[in-house]
Amino acid sequence: MTHRISNLVTVFVLAGLAVFLGMLHALVVSPDARALTGAGHGPGYLSHDGWWLGTYRLDDGAQGFCLNAGKPSPTGNVYDYADAASLGWYTPEQSASLAYISRTWAGTDDRLTAAAGQIATWLVAGLGGHTPEELAARAGSDAGPVLARAHEMVDEAARLGSSSVRAEAVLELAETGPGRVRVELTVVRPSGAELLAPGAQRARVALDGASFADGAADADVPTGTDMAIMPSGDAASVTVSAAASLDGLPYGDRLLVAAPHADAQAVLVAVPATAEARAAASTTGPSPLPFQPIVSTVTSAPEALPGALIHDRLTVSVDTAEGLLPSWGVRGVDDGFEPVEAVVESTLYGPFPAPLSESPDVPDGAPAVCTVETTVDGPGEYDTPECAIPAAGYYVWVERIDPARVSAGDGGERLRPWRSAFGVATEITVASAPVVPAPEEPGPAPMAPAALADTGGSWAVEAWPAAVGLGVAGGAVLTAALGRRLRRRNTASRCRMDA
């Protein structure tokens, strides 16, 4: 009993393993790799002596051309699908032509096309000892047109057959305004690579860092055609990338063959176009948005004397209005980016005889003292070179930025012009002539200092105190002497009066 149970278990295990392996095979092997049977004829001609010229059908509904002229018919034979590349039957040139024939005409519903396609297939794969005329005769009265069409098909397949296809994405940013993206498609043919004409196919393109004209980030675009794109973001530099994908392309040398189990003709089956191509590109460049400098200015000296040197103090910033780059623009250099350099032209006007009034423009005929230039490369403060004030009067600075002063390709295309008004109060310098005091009326000429008899020297600063003292003493002696004399005179007078 135990032995029979063990045997039964073994049988179930082996059966389960077989089922598992079968399921695994079904999962691993392509669905196309199942056994199938030749079901009969498709469109074509049956000759009066029973020979068929046209397509054959398999029991899964597939249709195709026979490959091995002279071998038995596919009808009733068992087949497995195989990739012709693994069979090694054909040269690259043959594979390219047969793949073109199969995907272009093997699925036809027209019998003349089917008959011509069958002869074209044999002309490429081998006639099996037959002549084209012999095979075309199976079409009866249509033999001539069938054979002519077959030769046209062979020529077309030789020209348009291909071994592969590749795509290339071209992405460029403009100095100003929109950039562009383009998808180029190249087909590798037996005769060499061919760049397809614009609009040959359509590619799905997805953008990062930019959008198409309608604002979308992805679109179906014709190949070989420039499509406008606008970078997004408000940084001074932008990075944009594009990814292109193309599917179901009618190119390449993929052949699907129904290979027979017995000695019969293999069938070249019509397959849908399945070639694909991918491409990507990325680029970084200056933002194409324009930027608008703003400059506020203050003269270095509101008041000065004629002949003085004055300069202007510039405070540079940028306008952040909508549509403008909210920062200073940059330009591309070999190792990255550098700020755009702008030139501020500063002109000192004057002298004017009266106070100035502010106006948008410089008055006609306004005298100019000098024009100086200052290079600025971003927000900040700058000092202009100095100018000398020639005479008394009112002077004023006026500035401007001209994008034409920036060399082509250095960012001038994105730099917007700017200029200051005339007569701005902070820019005015008043120059006044210095006041010279009136000369004093002349007084008595000073006495020359007496010579020193004993030394022969002259008066010095140190002698003045002594001289003053001597003068005071001398005055006292003189006063005393005059007093005595007056007393004597008075006494004599009294004496004369008493007598």
Side-chain angles (χ1 to χ4, degrees):
M1 176 67 74
T2 304
H3 179 69
R4 285 198 296 271
I5 293 175
S6 298
N7 288 340
L8 185 61
V9 171
T10 302
V11 170
F12 276 108
V13 169
L14 291 176
L17 180 59
V19 172
F20 172 75
L21 291 176
M23 294 176 61
L24 181 62
H25 179 75
L27 291 172
V28 173
V29 178
S30 168
D32 292 335
R34 68 177 180 86
L36 59 155
T37 303
H41 298 153
Y45 297 84
L46 182 64
S47 70
H48 64 88
D49 54 356
W51 292 101
W52 177 253
L53 181 64
T55 59
Y56 281 86
R57 289 198 175 107
L58 302 174
D59 64 353
D60 66 348
Q63 179 174 297
F65 299 124
C66 289
L67 285 169
N68 313 106
K71 288 191 175 185
S73 165
T75 303
N77 280 289
V78 179
Y79 287 85
D80 290 319
Y81 282 126
D83 189 335
S86 65
L87 301 176
W89 290 353
Y90 305 112
T91 67
E93 292 78 11
Q94 287 176 305
S95 295
S97 290
L98 290 172
Y100 185 87
I101 291 171
S102 70
R103 64 173 169 258
T104 306
W105 297 296
T108 183
D109 291 329
D110 177 68
R111 69 175 189 160
L112 191 149
T113 301
Q118 177 61 82
I119 295 178
T121 300
W122 283 330
L123 284 170
V124 175
L127 292 170
H130 299 280
T131 66
E133 292 76 13
E134 177 186 349
L135 297 170
R138 299 177 182 179
S141 60
D142 286 339
V146 165
L147 185 57
R149 182 71 181 113
H151 284 296
E152 291 175 355
M153 290 177 174
V154 172
D155 291 340
E156 183 177 334
R159 288 185 294 104
L160 301 182
S162 56
S163 58
S164 62
V165 60
R166 63 174 182 263
E168 179 185 6
V170 179
L171 187 62
E172 295 179 356
L173 299 179
E175 186 69 26
T176 60
R180 62 172 183 155
V181 64
R182 185 177 69 254
V183 180
E184 300 283 13
L185 200 59
T186 300
V187 175
V188 181
R189 306 192 187 280
S191 58
E194 177 190 350
L195 179 65
L196 296 184
Q201 299 293 334
R202 296 190 73 84
R204 186 69 177 175
V205 178
L207 299 175
D208 186 20
S211 60
F212 290 97
D214 61 357
D218 56 276
D220 287 323
V221 303
T223 57
T225 306
D226 286 337
M227 303 298 295
I229 61 170
M230 179 57 71
S232 55
D234 55 8
S237 63
V238 294
T239 298
V240 177
S241 60
S245 59
L246 301 96
D247 297 299
L249 297 174
Y251 308 109
D253 56 3
R254 177 173 179 254
L255 297 173
L256 183 61
V257 175
H261 289 191
D263 185 25
Q265 294 213 44
V267 180
L268 177 62
V269 177
V271 294
T274 57
E276 61 182 37
R278 301 287 184 268
S282 181
T283 187
T284 300
S287 170
L289 292 176
F291 66 100
Q292 174 67 73
I294 300 174
V295 185
S296 60
T297 54
V298 178
T299 182
S300 63
E303 297 180 356
L305 296 175
L309 295 174
I310 65 171
H311 64 270
D312 207 12
R313 169 60 60 86
L314 313 176
T315 301
V316 180
S317 60
V318 291
D319 194 343
T320 57
E322 185 177 356
L324 295 175
L325 185 66
S327 58
W328 193 267
V330 297
R331 61 188 183 95
V333 293
D334 292 340
D335 57 350
F337 299 97
E338 289 184 352
V340 174
E341 291 186 342
V343 177
V344 180
E345 297 178 5
S346 303
T347 300
L348 182 64
Y349 289 95
F352 298 95
L356 304 174
S357 298
E358 186 172 331
S359 63
D361 301 310
V362 177
D364 293 336
V369 177
C370 68
T371 296
V372 295
E373 297 180 352
T374 307
T375 300
V376 299
D377 58 3
E381 293 188 345
Y382 303 83
D383 287 338
T384 69
E386 294 179 321
C387 283
I389 295 178
Y394 292 85
Y395 296 84
V396 65
W397 289 100
V398 174
E399 271 84 14
R400 72 169 189 149
I401 295 177
D402 182 5
R405 295 293 308 275
V406 182
S407 301
D410 286 341
E413 298 87 346
R414 290 173 284 118
L415 175 65
R416 286 193 171 180
W418 175 87
R419 67 173 181 172
S420 65
F422 175 85
V424 177
T426 57
E427 294 282 55
I428 296 174
T429 296
V430 180
S432 302
V435 178
V436 180
E440 298 181 359
E441 294 184 3
M447 296 180 60
L452 299 177
D454 55 347
T455 64
S458 60
W459 291 89
V461 175
E462 293 82 355
W464 278 104
V468 172
L470 182 61
V472 171
V477 173
L478 181 58
T479 301
L482 289 174
R484 287 193 297 271
R485 186 173 180 179
L486 288 175
R487 284 195 298 273
R488 285 197 298 270
R489 181 177 296 176
N490 293 336
T491 304
S493 298
R494 285 197 300 271
C495 290
R496 285 194 294 272
M497 291 176 63
D498 293 339

